[in-house]
Amino acid sequence: MPAFSRSTPLPVLPLLSLLLLLALLSLPLTPRAAEPPQLVAGAPAAAAAPAGQVPGAAPGPVLPAPTSALVFANRSVFVFRAPLAGYPPSDRAAGALRRLEAAMARGGPLKPAIRSIPEGTQVLLDGMQLFVVTPADINLLAGDSTDSVAGAAAAHLGMALAEHQEQGSLRYLAVAAAYCAGATLVYALLLRGLSLLHRWAARRSAALLGMRLRDVRLKNVRVLDAEHYIVFARHLLNAALWLLFLMATYLWLAFVLGRVPYTRAWGERLSGYLLDVAGDVGRAVAGALPGMVLVLIIFACARLVALTASSFFKRFESGELQMGWLDRDTALPTRRIASVVIWLFALAMAYPYLPGAHTAAFQGLSVLVGLMVSIGASSVVGQGASGLILMYTRALRKGEYVKVGDSEGTVLEVGMFETRLRTGLGEELALPNAWVMGQTTKNYSRAHTGTGFVLDASVTIGYNTPWRQVHAMLELAAARTEDVAPSPKPYVMQVALHDYYVEYRLVAYAKAEAPRKRVEVLNQLHQHIIDVFNEFGVQMMSPHYMADPPAPMVVPKEDWHLAPARRPDHNPAGASPGKD
């Protein structure tokens, strides 16, 4: 045997010995017939009462006799299944073997033949009866006849006799040994060639994978590690190598056993088994091909329909089309739902044509997967349903400024399972859609058509200040705020008349240009309200006002920039001055 490299996963010689042992143990060989029992001259065995039955008693249920095979030269000639004339199958097989040995001892051409008789069909050797094939020995329901079965037995007998003669021929054994030696040499060279090919393929695949995967980069950064793929390719090559080893060993073993007369039956069984497996695989592949063609056609049609639907809904997403309830807000979820429905329908249509779809294992696995999905996805389905409700009711839209419960911010995305907000402080909140559905939502971006979000500021002023002056000052503060929209015009309302003060509320609008904008705009608006009230000498006692103080609680304009504050013309470089 050739020496193999260290890269070979296992030693070859122990593997071959193991394969040979397993092959011999796994073959369904008929055991060699035991030493034939001595037949008692005189009355046949049927004259004796069956075991366990008293002579002269009423016959009871008779159990079927065990079968017995006539084996000669390690080849099964015929299997006796029923008694004949009181002789059980074992006695029939033993008698046939004795008659066969007697015919061989006499010499002659040893030519098998068959002859029909009323009891069945005789199997003859040189005109002498060896045994009789009766209707009870064959399967009449399968359409067999005694003549056909006897003919097959005679053919097996002829092969066994020829092999027995070959076993005694030194010339034939020498030729068989030469064939076996040549096959073994070819087998060893083939194993050596496969080993060398394996080492070359391992080196070549490692070099190619390392070179190809090194060039796979994203923004000049390697995204794939070649080591994992090289290890996987090495394991794949090892599996392919040993598969070829096993196939070569199987073929070599079948050939060698078929050259030796005594083991030829084993070699024929090995070859026949390989051909049967190859035929079964070929028939299975051929039977699955029409179904696979239909599956491919179904999935191709599904992909075409999915692409068409995606192209159609993208027109609505871009705003080119609008039709009833379908617009740019609902087009995306509708496209995803349509895609899922199309592929589920395609899978349901293709399922019966998948190979193994009707097997119990495949069906059990489908039930198990469906049960796991139904149990584990209950909350997911609830979240998805809530997301669809939010999308199709248009309760929230991207870019709107809303308040959901205690969370307030600009809507970044309304997804299938969660809604994301960006607060005025730059935080990003992920709110489960089921929770959003159970909360009160305030939408500040829909107070007026065509505007951004709404702004409001409340102050409480004493009754001694004219309300018209308060209105004018609040409107002036809104006008001084840059990000407040001039249209619609800001307005002021007296929302409550308390015991000691009047509550005024300024309502204005601003454009939602950035997620942090509303907090910044409110901050500027509050600053300008304080400045305007100080400028006109009106004191603010917000939020509580109970009595007038001894002196007006206002800040003179000359004190607006006391240290550490600075006047606008004294601000350091880069600072953004506030408005007076």
Side-chain angles (χ1 to χ4, degrees):
M1 298 294 293
F4 285 83
S5 63
R6 293 184 179 179
S7 62
T8 306
L10 292 174
V12 176
L13 285 176
L15 177 65
L16 295 182
S17 302
L18 179 62
L19 288 175
L20 178 59
L21 179 61
L22 292 177
L24 295 178
L25 292 178
S26 62
L27 288 176
L29 295 178
T30 304
R32 187 174 180 86
E35 192 67 26
Q38 298 294 329
L39 296 179
V40 180
Q53 181 176 336
V54 179
V62 179
L63 298 177
T67 61
S68 182
L70 172 61
V71 179
F72 180 74
N74 202 30
R75 185 179 292 275
S76 178
V77 177
F78 182 72
V79 178
F80 298 93
R81 293 181 171 84
L84 177 63
Y87 291 97
S90 59
D91 289 350
R92 294 177 64 191
L97 182 59
R98 284 199 306 271
R99 288 187 287 271
L100 176 59
E101 291 174 348
M104 294 180 62
R106 289 193 303 267
L110 299 178
K111 182 178 180 182
I114 62 173
R115 182 172 62 194
S116 297
I117 60 175
E119 292 81 3
T121 303
Q122 292 178 317
V123 177
L124 310 175
L125 183 62
D126 293 341
M128 302 296 293
Q129 175 182 315
L130 289 183
F131 57 89
V132 178
V133 178
T134 66
D137 290 324
I138 63 176
N139 187 3
L140 296 176
L141 297 179
D144 296 335
S145 64
T146 56
D147 289 343
S148 63
V149 174
H156 292 163
L157 178 60
M159 288 188 291
L161 291 171
E163 291 169 355
H164 181 74
Q165 292 176 354
E166 291 171 354
Q167 293 177 20
S169 173
L170 295 178
R171 180 178 179 276
Y172 184 86
L173 292 178
V175 173
Y179 274 112
C180 293
T184 304
L185 179 61
V186 172
Y187 169 70
L189 293 177
L190 179 61
L191 294 186
R192 180 61 177 172
L194 289 176
S195 179
L196 295 176
L197 180 63
H198 169 261
R199 285 187 290 176
W200 176 83
R203 293 193 302 268
R204 184 63 177 169
S205 61
L208 287 177
L209 287 173
M211 180 176 61
R212 298 296 184 185
L213 297 180
R214 186 170 54 248
D215 299 334
V216 180
R217 296 176 177 271
L218 181 61
K219 295 183 178 179
N220 206 25
V221 177
R222 288 180 56 187
V223 296
L224 295 177
D225 293 329
E227 294 79 8
H228 304 297
Y229 293 91
I230 292 175
V231 172
F232 177 77
R234 186 181 300 118
H235 290 319
L236 191 63
L237 289 174
N238 289 339
L241 173 67
W242 283 112
L243 181 62
L244 294 175
F245 275 2
L246 292 175
M247 184 61 66
T249 303
Y250 191 97
L251 295 176
W252 169 79
L253 190 61
F255 181 83
V256 170
L257 293 178
R259 297 305 97 190
V260 181
Y262 184 78
T263 60
R264 185 171 298 162
W266 294 346
E268 291 175 356
R269 288 187 179 93
L270 282 176
S271 301
Y273 178 75
L274 182 61
L275 293 177
D276 291 341
V277 171
D280 293 340
V281 172
R283 285 190 294 270
V285 172
L289 280 179
M292 292 303 298
V293 171
L294 288 177
V295 169
L296 292 177
I297 293 175
I298 290 173
F299 282 117
C301 295
R303 177 165 176 77
L304 178 61
V305 174
L307 291 176
T308 303
S310 176
S311 176
F312 173 75
F313 287 114
K314 283 182 179 180
R315 300 292 189 274
F316 291 89
E317 293 181 37
S318 62
E320 299 178 20
L321 294 176
Q322 186 170 354
M323 181 178 61
W325 57 271
L326 190 60
D327 54 15
R328 64 193 315 166
D329 296 320
T330 57
L332 178 60
T334 306
R335 175 166 62 87
R336 292 175 177 173
I337 293 174
S339 178
V340 171
V341 170
I342 290 170
W343 285 110
L344 286 178
F345 182 78
L347 181 61
M349 291 291 294
Y351 178 83
Y353 303 102
L354 293 175
H358 300 287
T359 61
F362 199 100
Q363 295 173 354
L365 181 62
S366 302
V367 172
L368 178 62
V369 172
L371 184 62
M372 294 173 59
V373 171
S374 61
I375 293 177
S378 57
S379 60
V380 176
V381 172
Q383 296 288 350
S386 301
L388 292 177
I389 293 173
L390 290 175
M391 293 176 188
Y392 283 103
T393 58
R394 302 176 180 84
L396 302 174
R397 291 178 178 174
K398 183 178 180 180
E400 293 182 339
Y401 197 93
V402 299
K403 183 177 182 180
V404 182
D406 296 332
S407 302
E408 181 177 337
T410 302
V411 179
L412 296 181
E413 181 184 3
V414 181
M416 184 67 70
F417 303 106
E418 65 180 11
T419 299
R420 293 191 293 119
L421 303 181
R422 176 67 59 84
T423 66
L425 300 177
E427 302 169 336
E428 183 174 317
L429 305 179
L431 310 178
N433 286 333
W435 181 84
V436 175
M437 287 290 298
Q439 300 294 320
T440 300
T441 301
K442 296 182 180 180
N443 197 322
Y444 295 101
S445 298
R446 300 185 185 180
H448 194 277
T449 304
T451 61
F453 49 82
V454 66
L455 301 168
D456 63 281
S458 299
V459 294
T460 53
I461 307 298
Y463 283 97
N464 58 343
T465 302
W467 63 267
R468 294 176 180 83
Q469 182 185 17
V470 176
H471 281 216
M473 288 188 296
L474 291 175
E475 292 172 358
L476 178 60
R480 290 181 178 180
T481 305
E482 294 180 356
D483 294 319
V484 171
S487 177
K489 185 179 180 181
Y491 60 91
V492 182
M493 297 182 296
Q494 286 99 319
V495 296
L497 300 177
H498 298 284
D499 293 338
Y500 303 102
Y501 52 85
V502 181
E503 183 177 355
Y504 299 89
R505 178 171 296 174
L506 170 66
V507 180
Y509 297 91
K511 297 180 180 180
E513 297 178 355
R516 297 171 57 92
K517 203 63 175 179
R518 188 171 190 272
V519 172
E520 296 178 358
V521 175
L522 281 175
N523 177 57
Q524 295 177 4
L525 179 61
H526 291 159
Q527 293 174 355
H528 288 300
I529 289 175
I530 296 173
D531 288 346
V532 169
F533 274 75
N534 288 330
E535 182 179 347
F536 288 94
V538 177
Q539 62 181 2
M540 298 174 56
M541 301 299 293
S542 299
H544 299 291
Y545 174 87
M546 298 184 62
D548 291 330
M553 303 298 295
V554 296
V555 180
K557 190 172 183 178
E558 57 271 14
D559 296 335
W560 287 4
H561 302 284
L562 294 178
R566 294 289 185 268
R567 293 182 179 276
D569 52 350
H570 294 159
N571 280 350
S576 52
K579 279 199 169 189
D580 291 341

